[in-house]
Amino acid sequence: MQVLVLNSGSSSLKFQLFHMPDAHILCSGLIERIGLNDSIFKFKTEKDTIKITQSIPNHKVGLEILSNQLLNKDTGIIKSANDIHIVGHRVVQGGSYFDKTTEITPIVKEKIKELFSLAPLHNPANFEGIEVAETVFPKAKQVAVFDTAFHQTIPEHAHKYAIANEFLTDHDIRLYGFHGTSHKYISEKAIDFLDKENSKIISIHLGNGCSITAIENGESIDHSMGLTPLDGLIMGTRSGDIDPSVIFHFAKKLDYTLEDINTLLHKKSGMLGLTGYSDLRDIQAEADKGNKECQLALHMNAYRIKKYIGSYTAILNGLDAIIFTAGIGENSPEMRQHVCQNLDYLGIILDEEKNQIRPNKLTVISTEKSKVKILVIPTNEELEIAKQAVNLFKN
């Protein structure tokens, strides 16, 4: 069985084609910097590695480039669209409708569309992936794996907002949590490594979108993102935590429309708003040159993460490990160092030499004296999605 997995982020599209159930990777790749003139398409098989820089204005164009490459007679990996048996899609927001992996039907698609407003950078891109895949691979089963599913274990006292009860009971307004597939995958790896009957873990997913999760005995018990992926940590273009009154100020004093405010907070804030750059690699390079705005933005980013580490350590009543994952978490020793500085009171002590690596497997980067293990674990949301998609049809 061949399973193609599409993982659409806010400005990226990761993909892998697996032979299942042995999880052999037939091809993999990434489209990054979507929406910019210098977007990058990477495609890798056992024989070829292709890298193209071009303008990819949106996810639909990116998916069309991918489908053409998969079917390329010289460097592609499949001879016919019918070679794909399942297409697994990461879908960010499942709302109260979906708490598990689901085969995509017209009704499921309508529900995903209804949730666009709760994940405006993601669900539309996820939906485009579904629409294109249905056209290119008409005989494949289409499966949705929801980011929100892993966080269904968050207790009511943590997911409920302090507003009138009917907003939860009648309108499903609550904390949902996101990046669940990634947090689930890496926390299971960490639990196996720790080999403890009871575990207390903080997982930190740092990419263009960023989130942090408190995990007790394998279950999510709190998470930085809320009703939408806008809340929490500072991100590439998203503000993260902000006083809601700022929105009223924008509207009343600056004459911003609701659409203006939505665009500002989702697409023009975060690291982009602070520095003019959304890609951490660009920001780090500028900071190294002495750019004060970039230096401050990096400090603010790490400071916000530290605040969550402290609060989650409190609700867990202890801590066994913290995990760094995703594009920034796995590949930025500088950001990991910023985050871990001055956390020795919590028993978190970074080994600076070990921290310099960019590992391709679970790696400990804490010192021997550190009471808390600091782990870097490469996430593999695509493999997790493939497994869940195949399991859906086992019975």
Side-chain angles (χ1 to χ4, degrees):
M1 179 181 293
Q2 295 191 146
V3 181
L4 175 65
V5 174
L6 301 178
N7 181 351
S8 296
S10 56
S11 64
S12 65
L13 172 66
K14 291 190 288 185
F15 57 88
Q16 289 192 49
L17 179 60
F18 294 95
H19 182 274
M20 299 296 285
D22 60 347
H24 177 67
I25 300 173
L26 301 174
C27 75
S28 62
L30 170 69
I31 304 172
E32 57 183 337
R33 301 170 72 97
I34 292 174
L36 301 177
N37 291 328
D38 57 346
S39 307
I40 300 170
F41 173 74
K42 299 175 183 176
F43 182 85
K44 184 178 181 180
T45 66
E46 293 177 346
K47 294 182 179 180
D48 298 294
T49 298
I50 297 169
K51 181 177 179 181
I52 301 170
T53 300
Q54 67 179 85
S55 173
I56 302 177
N58 53 51
H59 287 74
K60 184 177 182 180
V61 172
L63 286 162
E64 290 170 351
I65 292 171
L66 169 59
S67 62
N68 290 335
Q69 177 57 49
L70 286 170
L71 290 162
N72 186 289
K73 64 178 182 179
D74 296 320
T75 58
I77 200 69
I78 57 175
K79 295 181 179 179
S80 164
N82 295 336
D83 292 345
I84 304 295
H85 302 99
I86 298 174
V87 182
H89 301 266
R90 175 200 180 202
V91 180
V92 166
Q93 174 60 276
S96 59
Y97 303 122
F98 306 108
D99 60 0
K100 58 185 177 182
T101 299
T102 305
E103 185 172 6
I104 296 169
T105 65
I107 293 174
V108 170
K109 286 172 64 177
E110 285 304 309
K111 293 296 185 183
I112 292 171
K113 287 180 71 175
E114 287 177 21
L115 295 165
F116 275 13
S117 63
L118 298 184
L121 295 185
H122 298 86
N123 269 39
N126 304 152
F127 189 84
E128 281 186 346
I130 293 167
E131 294 266 89
V132 174
E134 286 177 334
T135 301
V136 178
F137 309 108
K139 292 190 176 181
K141 294 183 183 295
Q142 307 288 330
V143 175
V145 178
F146 295 92
D147 266 15
T148 46
F150 178 62
H151 300 296
Q152 293 296 308
T153 53
I154 294 177
E156 186 176 23
H157 66 261
H159 77 235
K160 186 174 181 179
Y161 292 124
I163 53 180
N165 293 325
E166 59 263 27
F167 289 109
L168 174 59
T169 57
D170 298 345
H171 302 287
D172 297 317
I173 296 175
R174 51 160 287 184
L175 181 153
Y176 285 105
F178 299 92
H179 293 142
T181 306
S182 176
H183 289 292
K184 181 178 186 293
Y185 178 84
I186 63 169
S187 63
E188 288 175 350
K189 294 286 185 183
I191 290 167
D192 288 343
F193 171 75
L194 293 170
D195 195 24
K196 288 189 65 174
E197 185 175 344
N198 300 305
S199 59
K200 298 176 179 182
I201 294 169
I202 294 173
S203 61
I204 309 169
H205 178 109
L206 301 178
N208 193 61
C210 303
S211 66
I212 183 167
T213 305
I215 301 171
E216 186 169 25
N217 301 330
E219 293 189 343
S220 173
I221 64 166
D222 208 347
H223 179 78
S224 57
M225 290 176 167
L227 177 72
T228 75
L230 179 62
D231 206 11
L233 304 178
I234 297 171
M235 298 172 242
T237 65
R238 281 169 272 170
S239 65
D241 291 339
I242 193 169
D243 182 347
S245 295
V246 171
I247 296 170
F248 306 131
H249 185 81
F250 283 143
K252 292 181 179 180
K253 298 293 184 180
L254 303 178
D255 294 324
Y256 277 52
T257 66
L258 288 178
E259 186 174 348
D260 291 336
I261 297 169
N262 188 56
T263 299
L264 173 68
L265 296 180
H266 278 95
K267 297 184 178 181
K268 298 181 179 179
S269 296
M271 301 300 273
L272 178 64
L274 292 169
T275 69
Y277 304 95
S278 63
D279 192 306
L280 190 86
R281 290 166 292 190
D282 297 330
I283 297 166
Q284 186 66 59
E286 288 297 312
D288 291 343
K289 295 175 185 176
N291 185 312
K292 299 295 185 184
E293 289 181 343
C294 290
Q295 291 172 353
L296 176 60
L298 291 171
H299 180 66
M300 290 173 63
N301 197 322
Y303 180 78
R304 182 78 59 86
I305 298 168
K306 285 172 181 275
K307 288 171 68 175
Y308 273 94
I309 291 174
S311 64
Y312 285 175
T313 301
I315 65 168
L316 287 165
N317 192 26
L319 188 60
D320 296 309
I322 62 171
I323 310 167
F324 289 95
T325 196
I328 295 170
E330 295 169 29
N331 297 300
S332 177
E334 297 87 356
M335 182 54 67
R336 296 194 297 258
Q337 183 179 34
H338 284 312
V339 170
C340 293
Q341 280 179 340
N342 300 320
L343 292 180
D344 49 297
Y345 182 80
L346 297 179
I348 299 171
I349 306 174
L350 182 73
D351 186 310
E352 295 189 7
E353 184 176 344
K354 292 178 182 177
N355 182 47
Q356 294 308 309
I357 63 171
R358 289 174 170 80
N360 58 9
K361 61 181 180 180
L362 186 153
T363 302
V364 180
I365 59 170
S366 47
T367 67
E368 293 294 328
K369 294 181 179 179
S370 181
K371 294 179 181 178
V372 175
K373 297 290 185 185
I374 307 172
L375 308 177
V376 181
I377 304 179
T379 191
N380 196 333
E381 294 169 290
E382 293 76 31
L383 178 57
E384 183 65 29
I385 291 168
K387 288 179 178 178
Q388 291 188 36
V390 170
N391 288 338
L392 186 64
F393 300 106
K394 273 191 173 180
N395 298 320

